[in-house]
Amino acid sequence: MIELPTSVRPIERAGGLTFLKIDAPGGTGELCLQGAHLTSWIPRDRSPVLWMSARSRFAPGLPLRGGIPLCFPWFNFYAHHRDAPQHGFARVLPWTLLRVRERGDAVELALQLRDNPMTRATVWPYRFELTMTITLGMELQLALEVTNRDAKKFTFEEAFHTYFAIGDVRRTQVTGLEGLDYLIDGQGFAAEGRPLDPGPFGIGRRYSPANSGVILDAGNRRAISVNSEESNGVVVWNPGPATAKTIDDFSDDGWSTMLCFETCNVGEAAVTLGPGESHHMGARFSVAPLD
Ligand SMILES: O=P(O)(O)OC[C@H]1O[C@H](O)[C@H](O)[C@@H](O)[C@@H]1O
């Protein structure tokens, strides 16, 4: 591994996964090298912003439940390939740490994933390079750069599938998406200006075009702002109690204290790159007290 500043320390965790513990002046965090997956971000003197399931698995090749899974090169299922792993392979592969820099109150980490024989044997066989840059301090910034290293063009989907920790989903509102078009994939209710109601089967809305919003987390008396760049959609997801029971790495009441607010380019907003071309998607998260 590259040389690390004192603010970043590698640790081995359950299941043999390697994590980096980050202790920046502006906040602390934990990053799993599998999936370039951030599992914790705690701005200095604040409470945790990311939710992790108490029942998450931690094992090579299995997705973690919570934090910020990175979905690539597809979201949900890949076309008619129902046996392809949900949300693509990037979240379950080991990434290489390229660079760590201390920047003001934050630490910036850059990680890379390239195609390998395993990815080339999947339904998405192209040569690619991904660079994920995470800047963690009082604010959190994510930037994903996708480069086509193939001789052919390719099309991909991408998402930061962020799980936010909230006091109680039924006392939470989302603003900034009012009046935007959305697709419904869930029976819960997310009326503008009213607290969310996941009902038994949850909320699953993809707004498009959309890229920013604010989660009014009354339970923790805070507002979490999400501002995205070069992303066309936002997915708001909570499984609700009945669906959560069918997901074995969700604890029975875990659904009530999480909300996914996902920055994405999926469906009709999938990105096509020609040989040598790159695409960047970014997101910035910040937290402020709510009176
Ligand atoms: O269980 P996962 O593969 O992590 O996916 C979790 C969820 O992600 C998205 O929000 C999808 O819209 C949901 O349908 C899916 O259940």
Side-chain angles (χ1 to χ4, degrees):
M1 194 177 291
I2 60 168
E3 200 172 316
L4 298 173
T6 50
S7 52
V8 178
R9 187 162 55 87
I11 47 167
E12 286 284 317
R13 269 290 174 78
L17 296 178
T18 303
F19 283 71
L20 298 176
K21 254 182 133 29
I22 303 154
D23 190 354
T28 59
E30 287 190 14
L31 172 70
C32 183
L33 294 185
Q34 173 170 289
H37 193 137
L38 198 66
T39 55
S40 166
W41 167 46
I42 311 177
R44 188 64 60 195
D45 302 325
R46 300 268 165 87
S47 46
V49 184
L50 302 180
W51 178 90
M52 272 306 290
S53 170
R55 285 216 198 129
S56 178
R57 286 179 287 244
F58 291 95
L62 292 180
L64 314 185
R65 175 68 64 195
I68 312 185
L70 181 59
C71 308
F72 176 92
W74 61 84
F75 184 81
N76 269 344
F77 297 103
Y78 186 56
H80 53 279
H81 298 277
R82 289 274 148 174
D83 50 343
Q86 178 143 324
H87 296 321
F89 47 69
R91 67 173 174 168
V92 291
L93 290 178
W95 289 53
T96 305
L97 185 63
L98 283 185
R99 196 175 62 240
V100 180
R101 282 202 295 199
E102 293 177 327
R103 289 186 60 186
D105 82 341
V107 171
E108 178 193 274
L109 305 103
L111 298 102
Q112 189 180 66
L113 181 71
R114 288 182 159 167
D115 58 281
N116 60 39
M118 182 248 124
T119 67
R120 291 196 295 274
T122 68
V123 290
W124 200 87
Y126 306 101
R127 292 183 184 267
F128 66 91
E129 186 177 304
L130 300 184
T131 308
M132 178 74 173
T133 308
I134 298 169
T135 309
L136 185 149
M138 261 322 257
E139 285 196 358
L140 176 66
Q141 289 177 45
L142 308 177
L144 177 66
E145 176 118 344
V146 180
T147 302
N148 182 340
R149 296 274 179 231
D150 209 285
K152 288 183 274 197
K153 68 175 183 187
F154 62 53
T155 298
F156 64 90
E157 296 179 309
E158 57 185 346
F160 302 140
H161 195 306
T162 311
Y163 287 77
F164 288 103
I166 52 175
D168 183 344
V169 69
R170 292 152 297 194
R171 295 181 57 210
T172 299
Q173 288 186 38
V174 171
T175 65
L177 301 171
E178 298 87 347
L180 302 180
D181 284 343
Y182 59 86
L183 302 169
I184 297 187
D185 159 36
Q187 297 174 12
F189 190 60
E192 282 79 25
R194 301 248 313 265
L196 300 172
D197 176 5
F201 302 107
I203 299 162
R205 276 193 180 185
R206 177 159 64 84
Y207 292 84
S208 178
N211 62 15
S212 298
V214 180
I215 300 169
L216 301 175
D217 170 14
N220 289 320
R221 299 188 30 217
R222 66 182 177 184
I224 305 170
S225 299
V226 179
N227 287 288
S228 309
E229 284 169 18
E230 299 295 324
S231 83
N232 182 275
V234 165
V235 172
V236 176
W237 182 68
N238 178 290
T243 306
K245 272 200 167 49
T246 68
I247 307 177
D248 58 8
D249 55 1
F250 248 94
S251 56
D252 284 352
D253 57 357
W255 63 274
S256 66
T257 54
M258 56 68 65
L259 184 70
C260 286
F261 188 106
E262 309 167 33
T263 297
C264 62
N265 284 309
V266 307
E268 70 293 341
V271 180
T272 299
L273 292 178
E277 290 180 344
S278 295
H279 177 267
H280 160 100
M281 179 174 84
R284 204 174 72 240
F285 307 138
S286 58
V287 182
L290 192 63
D291 332 292

